[in-house]
Amino acid sequence: MIPWIALGSAQIPNNGGELKFSRRGDEFSIRLSGIRGELMNSRVFNSEEVLSQLGCAHIKTADKAQVLVGGLGMGYTLASALNNVNATATVTVAELIPEVVTWNEGPLGECAGNPLQDSRTHVHIGDVAELLSGKELAYDAILLDVDNGPEGLTHADNNWIYSSQGLEDIYKTLRPEGMLAIWSAGPDSLFVIRLKKAGFKVELRTVRARVGKGSRHTIFLAKKPWR
């Protein structure tokens, strides 16, 4: 069996733990040190792609659409967002950990087709919350894959995103008929209630980790109605 080769590591802010980046042949892995194990694998990305497909479906042909991707990961969500908007769109990707951006600028980027090299991509190194707490109508779609779901796993500050206050702030940054799409390891009925209280029209989709097989993940689709 081909052994794993360590390529790098990175500390998650606020004592969130350590990420380990490794490669085995043409397969890449990002793990969280300790019992949590693998967070991402370059061979498992279907639900990340579907997150963007569903989140951007309403703006596929829209002129100058503005999309925010929370969490670069292995680049699949970003790449899918770029594939689901036209040439006039701008896609901003926010990544908390600078090393993850560096890894995607190297050989890892080839897995998703080097989306960081797309001229429509803007990179924000920092917490995605910094881009979600404004009061202006900034985005047509917000695609969040920053953690395990409504309960933060790797970064406790992510809990703000899923809180009532966070959702109210996100609602304000979405343009009318904008879509908030959130990746989660599973469903959460209390989170659905918070989304609805914030004013969103909510739909849940179940998506397999790989096409037709693998773990079942949940995508929360929260649309801001036209008012």
Side-chain angles (χ1 to χ4, degrees), residues 130-213:
E130 297 167 0
L131 304 179
L132 292 173
S133 56
K135 305 302 180 185
E136 61 183 57
L137 302 176
Y139 304 109
D140 298 288
I142 297 173
L143 317 172
L144 299 180
D145 183 8
V146 296
D147 216 311
N148 213 43
E151 291 188 7
L153 169 65
T154 63
H155 185 50
D157 289 350
N158 287 335
N159 288 328
W160 171 86
I161 292 173
Y162 310 110
S163 70
S164 295
Q165 184 60 60
L167 294 175
E168 289 173 9
D169 287 348
I170 292 171
Y171 187 93
K172 293 174 183 176
T173 67
L174 270 175
R175 294 171 177 169
E177 297 193 325
M179 181 70 77
L180 168 63
I182 300 177
W183 185 97
S184 176
D188 187 321
S189 58
L190 294 179
F191 182 57
V192 171
I193 293 173
R194 291 200 297 276
L195 283 167
K196 290 180 177 179
K197 285 184 176 179
F200 291 104
K201 294 182 177 180
V202 185
E203 180 182 354
L204 269 63
R205 297 288 185 89
T206 300
V207 182
R208 302 297 287 266
R210 301 188 184 191
V211 177
K213 61 182 180 180

Side-chain angles (χ1 to χ4, degrees), residues 20-149:
K20 298 283 190 178
F21 177 46
S22 57
R23 180 175 189 170
R24 180 175 64 185
D26 60 357
E27 179 182 4
F28 293 88
S29 175
I30 296 178
R31 304 178 66 87
L32 181 63
S33 292
I35 61 174
R36 296 296 186 180
E38 189 170 66
L39 296 177
M40 289 167 269
N41 186 288
S42 60
R43 294 183 176 178
V44 183
F45 53 84
N46 180 61
S47 59
E48 287 84 353
E49 290 189 332
V50 174
L51 172 70
S52 292
Q53 292 169 7
L54 296 175
C56 293
H58 66 299
I59 53 170
K60 196 172 181 68
T61 61
D63 187 43
K64 297 182 179 180
Q66 294 288 327
V67 179
L68 175 61
V69 175
L72 175 59
M74 290 187 165
Y76 292 108
T77 302
L78 172 60
S80 182
L82 292 165
N83 289 335
N84 283 278
V85 293
N86 67 27
T88 69
T90 297
V91 181
T92 300
V93 58
E95 173 54 52
L96 180 67
I97 303 169
E99 290 88 346
V100 173
V101 177
T102 300
W103 299 340
N104 276 271
E105 291 172 339
L108 174 59
E110 298 174 7
C111 296
N114 293 305
L116 291 181
Q117 297 179 12
D118 194 299
S119 61
R120 296 170 294 170
T121 299
H122 291 192
V123 179
H124 173 83
I125 298 179
D127 196 330
V128 68
E130 297 167 0
L131 304 179
L132 292 173
S133 56
K135 305 302 180 185
E136 61 183 57
L137 302 176
Y139 304 109
D140 298 288
I142 297 173
L143 317 172
L144 299 180
D145 183 8
V146 296
D147 216 311
N148 213 43

